[in-house]
Structure formats: structure tokens, C-alpha cells
Amino acid sequence: MAAVPNGIRADIGWRQAIADRNLPAALIGRAQRNGGIIRVRIPLPGRSWLISDFDLVDRVLRTGAGDFDKGGPIYRIIRKATGDEGLFAVNDPQNWRTLREHTNPAFAAANLAPLAQETVGRLVDRVGSWSPDRAVDVFTEFKLLNVELLARHLFGQAVDCATLIRLAQPIFDSQRKQWFRVGGGSYQRAIAAMDTEVYTIIDRRRAVGGSDGDLLAHLLQVRPELSVQRIRDQVMSHLMAGFDSTACAQAWACLRLADNPGELAGLRTELEQVVGNRTPEAADLARLPLLTALFGDVVTQRPSFPLIFRNVAVDTELAGRPLHSGDQLFIALGPARLPFGAGKRKCIGEPMALLTGALSIAVLAQRFSRWQRIQPGDQRVRYATTAPPRHSEILFTP
């Protein structure tokens, strides 16, 4: 069994995987023991492969990216939700470059700076409402927080976060069922319900006008004017990509600190020395190496999207295995230590996730000296499209 720091298991073995209902971890471990690539049986057209070795992943995503694309049956399923012209799933290279140019301004450092302050302020307000004698489900709390931040940063407005979560969750829950050709009707109904809310968000932002650096304002100001469908696809893509991805990392970071009181104590000492009694700011992160190393390590060991996908565009080979055009690749980002991917299509939201994620952990560590897990040491995962912990309840004591 491969050992990794702080009790996070890279290869849990078949028996433990069955007990934990963690088949992806067992398959990734098997791939690691077999040259970083194995064939997996999934009822999709063509053959499917899982790759976990860094060099193979790097070739697919970066050095040999021209042999692989976002075509194929998996991305057809994803595009039913994100649309054909969303940044995440668009396949045409020229369309992708154009969409990336439209999106880049919203993720510039100048536009992320206010988000840092808002992250801290909103979390401080949420923490103030926590009962001292009741455990907090940190994944749920961070999911609510991040949807609020997404709405503000991407859409330039307050939205009903509970409604967005209620509408988005069925899309995630039913998406992977499409690989097995079941639940198609529920998937389409979930997308249609979310579309109604997304078009309302677009209309409301158009009516307000102006710009606060949010993505939707940038898209509405592009000339020649973008179609409503293209704007919808961008909004949906970013909403689905950021819906609970940062919350996964924040939750796993909290569980790690709760399971390792010494690490929590060291982090609190660092915060006391650098930040003191004031609330942490983005500028503090450069002087908080323990915090940034902790969050970076959690993100790497527990990527929010443990698997991403590519379609084999041309006949080629990986590690001596011949791959045929139309084969599907399941890429394990954790073992490759590439939590945001690599190459030109690396996740655009990386700076935003690292910034808001680390600051949120700082806020909690600064305010609470004792973190008690309700289920200590539990490393089980609740897989959907992302990989949050199955149990993330913590009792926080000042």
C-alpha cells in the first residue's frame, strides 16, 4: 500500500475499497501498479483507459495535447449541461481561445482582490451564527459560502444560493449515470430547471448594467454582442465548475487539521505571529508558508475533480499501449500531482480557488483552538462529479 502524508491514502486496496465503496481509488491504485495505465470496462463507445502516471498525464494534457481533445461521448454528456460553447467543455481550439479571451478579465488579479476581502467578511459572518454546542458540516457550509462568492464574482449580484444548490445538485448526481445510459430524463429535467434560473440571472444583470469586474458584465459588454446562448453556456460552465469544487478542498483541509491537532497548533502560532488579532488578508498569504503549504498539499492530494477526461483524437500509444481514435481516457489528477490539470487548458479558476480556500482556513484557525471531528479519521469519499468527504462534521471550540 502506498503511503502518503497525514493519512491520506493513495491506494487503499480492493477489500478496503469495497468496504468504503471507493472503487475509483482502487482502480487508480491498480493503474499505479501497472505502469500508470489500465483499461477499464465502461459501457461507452470505444475503449476506456485510466491513467495515473505523471509523465503519461503530462503528455496527454500538455506535450502531446494535439492527439487528444474534448470530443467523444463523455463530453457530449457534459455539454448537455454546459452547452457547446462553455469554456470548460468546448472542443474547437479557436472557439476555446476566443472564450478564454472573453473570460480572462474576470480572473485578473485586480478583480480577485475584492473577492479575498469578501471571502473573509462573509465567512466571519457565517461563523458568528454557529452554535458552540453543535457540530458544523463544513462541506455544506463552504458550499453555501462559495456559491455566494461565485454569484458575486461571476454574476455581479446576490442570488438565492439555496435555490442554485437545489437546482445544481441533481445535475451532478445524475451526470455520471449517463455513462451507463440510465436516468436521461432526470438529467434533462434538471438542466431545464437550472436553465430557467440562469436566464433569469442573465436578464437581471443586463437590466442593472455597469460593471463590478464580474464575468457576466464582461460577457455582456463584448462586441460584437454575444448570443444569449453563448452567454448562458459560459455562466453554466463556471457555475458547474465552481459549484462545490473549492468547498471539497476546504472541507478536506478542515478534516486534516481536526485529525492533526499539532498541525493546527502550528498554524495558529503562525497566524498569531503574522496576522495577530485582525482578520487575514490576501497580502498576508505570502508570509504564511504553513497555511499555503497545507492548503496546497490538500488540493494536490485530494483534487476536487479526481478524474478528468479526454477523447483520443488520432491513433497513438501510451506506455506501449496502442490507443485508437475514439478511445476515452480517464485521467487521475491526484497521483500525477496536477490538481488543476496542465497545459493551455489548465483550470482558469486556480488562483481564485487557492486564494479563497487558504483565507477561509485562516479565518477558522484564528478563531477556534479545538476542532473535534464527529467521526475521527474517516477518509471515505462521497463521489459524484467532485469528491467531497462523506462525513465532514466538526465541533469547533474557541
Side-chain angles (χ1 to χ4, degrees):
M1 182 179 294
V4 289
N6 297 292
I8 297 175
R9 295 168 293 177
D11 174 10
I12 65 174
W14 281 99
R15 290 183 179 179
Q16 188 63 52
I18 292 171
D20 289 354
R21 292 181 288 174
N22 196 350
L23 181 59
L27 289 173
I28 290 169
R30 182 181 165 204
Q32 290 178 275
R33 296 190 299 271
N34 288 274
I37 180 171
I38 58 171
R39 187 173 173 188
V40 291
R41 307 288 179 174
I42 294 177
L44 293 169
R47 302 177 302 171
S48 297
W49 304 83
L50 188 149
I51 62 173
S52 62
D53 175 77
F54 170 81
D55 290 332
L56 300 183
V57 173
D58 189 57
R59 186 192 156 199
V60 172
L61 298 182
R62 192 175 65 85
T63 62
D67 293 341
F68 311 93
D69 62 20
K70 292 195 173 185
I74 295 177
Y75 276 102
R76 280 198 294 273
I77 292 169
I78 293 172
R79 279 193 288 271
K80 288 180 181 178
T82 64
D84 293 333
E85 298 191 83
L87 183 68
F88 176 72
V90 66
N91 192 33
D92 180 78
Q94 182 56 53
N95 277 349
W96 175 83
R97 282 191 289 271
T98 299
L99 293 172
R100 186 66 181 250
E101 290 171 2
H102 293 162
T103 305
N104 280 336
F107 290 88
N111 286 326
L112 290 179
L115 185 66
Q117 183 176 355
E118 190 155 2
T119 299
V120 172
R122 286 179 182 270
L123 183 54
V124 168
D125 289 343
R126 297 189 77 86
V127 167
S129 68
W130 292 356
S131 172
D133 58 355
R134 180 174 298 176
V136 175
D137 183 340
V138 290
F139 174 64
T140 298
E141 284 290 316
F142 280 127
K143 183 160 62 172
L144 286 164
L145 171 68
N146 288 311
V147 171
E148 290 176 1
L149 295 171
L150 271 175
R152 179 66 186 85
H153 182 64
L154 298 182
F155 311 144
Q157 59 191 278
V159 301
D160 184 340
C161 296
T163 295
L164 277 183
I165 290 172
R166 176 178 58 80
L167 293 173
Q169 195 63 58
I171 298 177
F172 278 105
D173 292 343
S174 59
Q175 190 172 80
R176 66 175 177 169
K177 295 178 183 178
Q178 306 305 295
W179 301 352
F180 303 95
R181 304 177 188 179
V182 297
S186 61
Y187 188 45
Q188 296 288 3
R189 287 191 294 273
I191 294 168
M194 176 60 85
D195 272 347
T196 299
E197 184 68 16
V198 166
Y199 283 121
T200 299
I201 289 172
I202 294 171
D203 290 342
R204 196 161 54 219
R205 187 66 185 89
R206 193 191 301 273
V208 170
S211 176
D212 289 327
D214 57 286
L215 172 65
L216 190 47
H218 285 295
L219 296 176
L220 291 169
Q221 291 171 2
V222 169
R223 296 295 180 270
E225 187 173 318
L226 301 178
S227 69
V228 174
Q229 182 66 45
R230 175 168 280 200
I231 294 174
R232 173 266 178 208
D233 290 355
Q234 290 294 80
V235 169
M236 184 70 90
S237 291
H238 287 278
L239 179 60
M240 299 306 291
F243 168 65
D244 67 358
S245 52
T246 304
C248 288
Q250 291 162 314
W252 283 115
C254 287
L255 298 188
R256 170 165 153 174
L257 289 171
D259 284 335
N260 295 274
E263 191 170 21
L264 173 60
L267 179 56
R268 283 175 53 81
T269 298
E270 179 180 76
L271 286 164
E272 183 178 354
Q273 292 172 347
V274 175
V275 179
N277 293 325
R278 62 175 173 81
T279 54
E281 303 171 353
D284 295 324
L285 294 180
R287 296 183 296 144
L288 295 168
L290 291 180
L291 172 65
T292 54
L294 161 77
F295 195 71
D297 188 52
V298 169
V299 167
T300 300
Q301 294 289 347
R302 290 285 194 184
S304 298
F305 293 94
L307 296 172
I308 64 172
F309 318 104
R310 287 296 185 270
N311 174 67
V312 179
V314 297
D315 290 350
T316 185
E317 61 83 27
L318 278 179
R321 267 82 160 191
L323 304 183
H324 305 317
S325 176
D327 283 1
Q328 302 303 298
L329 301 183
F330 292 73
I331 302 168
L333 295 179
R337 302 188 67 81
L338 295 169
F340 295 97
K344 65 182 181 180
R345 298 202 66 162
K346 186 178 182 180
C347 177
I348 193 173
E350 178 181 7
M352 179 178 173
L354 294 177
L355 173 68
T356 59
L359 282 174
S360 64
I361 300 304
V363 169
L364 296 186
Q366 190 180 51
R367 280 159 176 72
F368 300 105
S369 62
R370 185 167 182 261
W371 302 21
Q372 181 182 354
R373 287 192 66 180
I374 302 305
Q375 300 199 37
D378 190 344
Q379 297 286 319
R380 290 178 295 173
V381 180
R382 178 174 58 80
Y383 284 103
T385 301
T386 53
R390 193 178 299 180
H391 299 288
S392 60
E393 298 83 7
I394 298 176
L395 181 64
F396 291 94
T397 305

